[in-house]
């Protein structure tokens, strides 16, 4: 079809679909709710040119990271560099050169396997390129006695080395013992070099893992029955202890601080409406939660919760409070907006007076509590993935009245997304379990969970070849359940008829976000007050018109990589766009003068 009244139309039904392009609304960029990524470091080096001891730290974020150095004597920030990675680590060259080496855990839009260095002579960060392999990231490194840097990789478990003298890379291959199972994630962690010239590595995949020795002279790998004792590290210079999150360190018994100002915004991963009308959310890995008050127009970083490290995956408002789950370890907590912010990190938020307060872990080997919904029994249900090396995940439940947990374990698939109506809880699954597990299924499912019998009444594969169902929402007009998949498809499901009614294919895929999970993109959906379903892909805001059974593409967002969408007041939606919170009005407000 052609252009009609500035709307682009293209027709389908179950095998066809209808898509419409409309430009009628307006976006407002509300800014970055959380400034300050997750921190790392405490690496100590000596600068022989300026005769200074340096503490190196890193601030990490989805849009890039910062490497900085603190002068131990003065506490001043004396070096600062932008690193094009989501996360990196540093190893100090074990000689008197003062040189440090920076290797990426995660790239911005590719696995992190680039190597860089900083030298006191040049005071510049320079690149040494990539090892001769692709699709992998560095996870740890060490200096060998042969003056080469050895680095381990994930997910294919290779050991690689870099020779600075000759500027040469070598790939020593996968170090995991046979059998090698396709698609099984493998971590290779170099630990130390022994006197025989072997690089001792721990190999993590299925638990408990393996230990190997790679002989740098013969280029052969042997399995070890147990991990050998690590040699004692030699003291090198002053003993310095660092608390990177507190901007503090101690040297010679003297406690000092440094003034590093956070600059990195981390991507929004959680977003929901509280019962007080505010919008609450979380950002990836920072462990912060934030709020936006539509009445006062105030965007506030509420702060870092008092427990754990990782990310608060999502939030949900219930009965005046905001509940949340976090990785690592599937912690569950609550924040009361009526009370002062009091995280009590010294006790890990485990105190009746803490705000937010943690109830502890869900248990049953749960690790990543992705999404939440309030079920018909007034319990909060939690979509979970299992811990490292363990398959599947489960459906968790939390009773706010009794503060009790239950986990309904799924040994084959994790639960990626969740929603509910007055009858049932609906879950979408992923074939992925905890990283490093052996996956035994191929496609994600949609299931119906009965909160009375605590059983799954029905399950089906809504879209063939989709490894995960990534989001679910219910229309108040049709009562159908609408979902998205890892393949970029949308579908509608009739609960009474137990069948898929319609499917559509979006023109863009979902946004992948490290950890939630990074293996495929998430297309988020939400039920609108008008009965239609609204959603975001990586580059589009769209509507499923539930009456016309068509996709309506709305206005182009000012920032891509969209993640999460929730409606505030009718017709006003809040969307995560990288580290920014966008407010989208379906209809633009006319201006007169």
């Amino acid at each position: 079809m052609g252009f009609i009244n500035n709307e682009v139309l293209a027709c389908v039904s179950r095998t066809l679909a209808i898509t419409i392009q409309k430009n009628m609304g307006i976006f407002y960029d509300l800014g970055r709710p959380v400034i300050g990524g997750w921190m790392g470091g405490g690496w100590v080096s000596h600068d022989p040119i300026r005769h200074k001891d340096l503490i190196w730290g890193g601030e990490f974020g989805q849009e890039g990271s910062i490497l900085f150095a603190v002068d131990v004597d003065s506490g001043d920030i004396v070096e600062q560099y932008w690193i094009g990675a989501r996360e990196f680590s540093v190893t100090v060259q074990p000689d008197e050169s003062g040189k440090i080496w920076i290797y990426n855990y995660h790239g911005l839009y590719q696995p992190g396997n680039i190597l860089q260095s900083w030298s006191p002579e040049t005071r510049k960060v320079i690149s040494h390129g990539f090892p001769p392999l692709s699709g992998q990231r560095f996870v740890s490194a060490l200096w060998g006695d042969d003056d080469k840097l050895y680095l381990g990789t994930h997910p294919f478990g290779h050991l690689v080395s870099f020779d600075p003298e000759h500027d040469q890379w070598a790939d020593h291959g996968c170090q995991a013992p046979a059998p090698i199972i396709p698609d099984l994630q493998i971590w290779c962690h170099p630990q130390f070099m022994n006197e025989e010239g072997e690089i001792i590595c721990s190999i993590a995949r299925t638990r408990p893992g393996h230990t190997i020795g790679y002989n740098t002279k013969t280029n052969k790998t042997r399995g070890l029955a147990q991990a050998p004792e690590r040699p004692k590290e030699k003291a090198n210079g002053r003993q310095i202890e660092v608390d990177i999150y507190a901007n503090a360190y101690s040297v010679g018994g003297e406690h000092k601080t440094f003034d590093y100002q956070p600059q990195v915004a981390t991507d929004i991963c959680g977003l929901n409406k509280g019962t007080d009308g505010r919008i609450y959310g979380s950002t990836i890995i920072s462990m912060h939660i934030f709020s936006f008050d539509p009445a006062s127009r105030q965007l506030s970083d509420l702060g870092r919760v008092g427990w754990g490290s990782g990310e608060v995956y999502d939030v949900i408002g219930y009965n005046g409070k905001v509940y949340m789950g976090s990785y690592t370890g599937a912690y569950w907590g609550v924040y009361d907006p009526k009370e002062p912010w009091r995280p009590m990190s010294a006790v890990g938020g485990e105190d009746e007076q803490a705000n937010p307060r943690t109830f502890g872990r869900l248990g049953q080997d749960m690790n990543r509590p992705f999404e939440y919904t309030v079920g018909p029994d007034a319990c909060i249900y939690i979509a979970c993935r299992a811990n490292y090396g363990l398959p599947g995940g489960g459906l968790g439940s939390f009773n706010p009245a009794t503060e009790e947990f239950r986990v309904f374990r799924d040994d084959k698939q994790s639960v990626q997304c969740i929603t509910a109506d007055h009858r049932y809880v609906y879950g979408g699954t992923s074939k992925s379990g905890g990283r490093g597990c052996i996956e035994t299924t191929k496609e994600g499912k949609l299931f119906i969970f009965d909160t009375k019998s605590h059983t799954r009444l029905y399950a089906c594969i809504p879209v063939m070849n989709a490894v995960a169902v990534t989001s679910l929402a219910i229309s108040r007009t049709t009562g159908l359940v609408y979902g998205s998949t890892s393949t970029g498809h949308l579908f509608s499901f009739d609960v009474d008829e137990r069948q898929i009614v319609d499917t559509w294919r979006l023109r863009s895929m979902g946004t992948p976000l490290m950890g939630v999970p990074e293996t495929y993109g998430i297309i988020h959906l939400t039920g609108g007050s008008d009965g239609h379903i609204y959603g975001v892909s990586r580059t589009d805001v769209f509507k499923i018109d539930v009456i016309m059974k068509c996709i309506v593409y709305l206005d182009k967002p000012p920032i891509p990589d969209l993640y999460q969408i929730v409606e505030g007041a009718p017709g006003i939606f809040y969307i995560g766009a990288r580290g920014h919170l966008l407010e989208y009005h379906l209809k633009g407000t006319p201006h007169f003068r």
Side-chain angles (χ1 to χ4, degrees):
M1 291 187 176
F3 290 85
I4 304 174
N5 297 327
N6 294 322
E7 296 180 357
V8 182
L9 306 177
C11 223
V12 243
S13 98
R14 190 109 179 245
T15 52
L16 295 176
I18 298 176
T19 61
I20 304 174
Q21 176 76 48
K22 287 191 174 182
N23 298 301
M24 53 186 173
I26 187 169
F27 285 96
Y28 297 92
D29 184 350
L30 302 177
R32 302 183 296 170
V34 177
I35 304 296
W38 64 105
M39 306 292 291
W43 309 288
V44 179
S45 72
H46 179 72
D47 179 348
I49 305 301
R50 292 177 293 167
H51 306 290
K52 294 179 181 294
D53 287 331
L54 303 176
I55 298 171
W56 294 90
E59 182 189 6
F60 313 128
Q62 297 287 348
E63 297 176 34
S65 300
I66 294 175
L67 171 71
F68 64 90
V70 178
D71 180 345
V72 170
D73 292 320
S74 68
D76 295 335
I77 307 296
V78 292
E79 303 289 341
Q80 190 165 282
Y81 304 94
W82 180 260
I83 304 294
R86 300 182 185 193
E87 189 176 7
F88 62 82
S89 190
V90 166
T91 184
V92 179
Q93 190 161 318
D95 55 21
E96 297 180 356
S97 68
K99 200 170 187 177
I100 67 168
W101 295 79
I102 306 109
Y103 54 98
N104 293 354
Y105 287 167
H106 302 289
L108 291 179
Y109 297 103
Q110 71 287 325
N113 59 355
I114 192 171
L115 179 67
Q116 298 169 286
S117 68
W118 177 90
S119 170
E121 288 85 358
T122 63
R123 293 177 61 187
K124 293 180 180 179
V125 172
I126 63 171
S127 173
H128 299 279
F130 302 86
L133 75 175
S134 61
Q136 304 199 52
R137 65 187 183 99
F138 295 135
V139 291
S140 55
L142 63 83
W143 277 96
D145 294 340
D146 54 1
D147 296 325
K148 294 180 182 178
L149 183 63
Y150 289 87
L151 304 105
T153 75
H154 166 265
F156 304 129
H158 282 232
L159 179 69
V160 300
S161 63
F162 179 73
D163 182 348
E165 182 179 356
H166 300 99
D167 198 34
Q168 289 182 342
W169 283 98
D171 177 11
H172 306 289
C174 176
Q175 298 300 308
I180 303 299
I181 299 172
D183 299 325
L184 179 61
Q185 298 185 46
I186 305 170
W187 291 258
C188 175
H189 291 281
Q191 302 292 305
F192 59 90
M193 177 180 261
N194 65 16
E195 294 180 354
E196 290 74 35
E198 287 181 315
I199 302 295
I200 305 301
C201 302
S202 66
I203 305 298
R205 44 181 180 181
T206 53
R207 296 180 177 183
H210 304 274
T211 301
I212 62 94
Y214 174 80
N215 193 304
T216 58
K217 299 172 183 176
T218 64
N219 297 325
K220 292 184 178 181
T221 299
R222 67 184 180 102
L224 303 177
Q226 60 184 16
E229 185 177 351
R230 180 191 294 266
K232 292 184 179 180
E233 295 184 1
K234 299 176 182 178
N236 185 18
R238 293 187 284 180
Q239 296 301 302
I240 301 171
E241 297 181 358
V242 183
D243 184 345
I244 203 74
Y245 272 105
N247 280 14
Y249 62 100
S250 63
V251 53
E254 182 183 1
H255 297 281
K256 297 185 176 184
T257 60
F258 57 89
D259 187 22
Y260 177 76
Q261 297 298 318
Q263 304 168 61
V264 174
T266 57
D267 285 14
I268 291 171
C269 66
L271 207 60
N272 228 318
K273 184 179 179 180
T275 54
D276 58 2
R278 292 185 177 94
I279 303 300
Y280 291 89
S282 61
T283 58
I284 193 74
I285 300 202
S286 70
M287 295 298 289
H288 282 234
I289 62 172
F290 65 87
S291 70
F292 175 71
D293 187 340
S296 66
R297 311 300 295 168
Q298 184 174 3
L299 181 64
S300 303
D301 177 0
L302 297 173
R304 180 182 172 89
V305 303
W307 63 86
S309 61
E311 51 256 313
V312 176
Y313 277 124
D314 207 353
V315 294
I316 187 169
Y318 178 72
N319 199 24
K321 297 180 180 179
V322 179
Y323 292 84
M324 67 200 76
S326 72
Y327 162 85
T328 59
Y331 283 92
W332 187 251
V334 63
Y335 167 62
D336 188 345
K338 299 182 295 297
E339 298 294 329
W341 181 268
R342 190 172 50 247
M344 299 182 67
S345 56
V347 294
E350 295 183 5
D351 189 287
E352 290 288 338
Q353 301 302 312
N355 191 32
R357 173 169 68 102
T358 178
F359 301 103
R361 302 186 181 195
L362 297 182
Q364 295 293 307
D365 294 317
M366 296 298 98
N367 192 33
R368 299 178 188 266
F370 288 135
E371 287 191 356
Y372 331 123
T373 192
V374 178
D377 58 353
C379 288
I380 299 175
Y381 286 84
I382 306 160
C384 288
R385 178 178 288 190
N387 207 348
Y388 288 88
L390 300 175
L395 180 67
S397 75
F398 173 77
N399 188 328
T402 64
E403 299 183 355
E404 293 178 329
F405 296 125
R406 290 192 69 174
V407 174
F408 305 96
R409 186 78 163 89
D410 186 330
D411 292 326
K412 295 182 178 179
Q413 295 194 328
S414 60
V415 184
Q416 179 67 45
C417 57
I418 196 167
T419 192
D421 59 16
H422 65 284
R423 294 186 293 176
Y424 304 118
V425 169
Y426 307 93
T429 71
S430 165
K431 74 166 189 175
S432 302
R435 288 182 185 170
C437 77
I438 298 174
E439 297 170 350
T440 59
T441 65
K442 295 182 178 180
E443 292 157 314
K445 297 180 180 180
L446 169 70
F447 67 81
I448 302 173
F449 182 82
D450 179 25
T451 60
K452 296 177 182 177
S453 64
H454 296 142
T455 59
R456 294 188 185 184
L457 301 181
Y458 178 81
C460 68
I461 297 172
V463 175
M464 300 301 293
N465 301 316
V467 300
V469 176
T470 59
S471 187
L472 295 170
I474 297 172
S475 165
R476 62 172 59 184
T477 297
T478 65
L480 300 181
V481 177
Y482 295 80
S484 64
T485 70
S486 56
T487 54
H489 288 87
L490 305 176
F491 64 86
S492 63
F493 174 77
D494 188 312
V495 179
D496 295 322
E497 298 293 334
R498 301 289 202 267
Q499 66 177 344
I500 301 298
V501 179
D502 288 290
T503 58
W504 304 267
R505 177 67 184 267
L506 289 173
R507 66 187 182 189
S508 62
M509 301 293 284
T511 300
L513 198 59
M514 298 303 288
V516 284
E518 67 274 21
T519 49
Y520 45 82
I522 305 291
I523 296 170
H524 287 277
L525 303 175
T526 191
S529 57
D530 59 4
H532 298 301
I533 302 296
Y534 292 83
V536 291
S537 63
R538 189 166 191 169
T539 56
D540 287 311
V541 182
F542 61 87
K543 175 178 76 173
I544 303 176
D545 187 314
V546 300
I547 304 302
M548 294 293 292
K549 296 187 177 183
C550 67
I551 305 299
V552 180
Y553 288 104
L554 303 172
D555 300 87
K556 204 71 175 175
I559 303 172
D561 300 325
L562 306 180
Y563 204 89
Q564 288 285 9
I565 178 171
V566 64
E567 187 178 27
I572 300 176
F573 292 85
Y574 296 88
I575 300 167
R578 296 179 178 168
H580 293 245
L581 181 64
L582 302 181
E583 184 180 71
Y584 175 60
H585 294 238
L586 276 179
K587 295 181 179 179
T589 304
H591 295 272
F592 301 96
R593 50 181 298 177

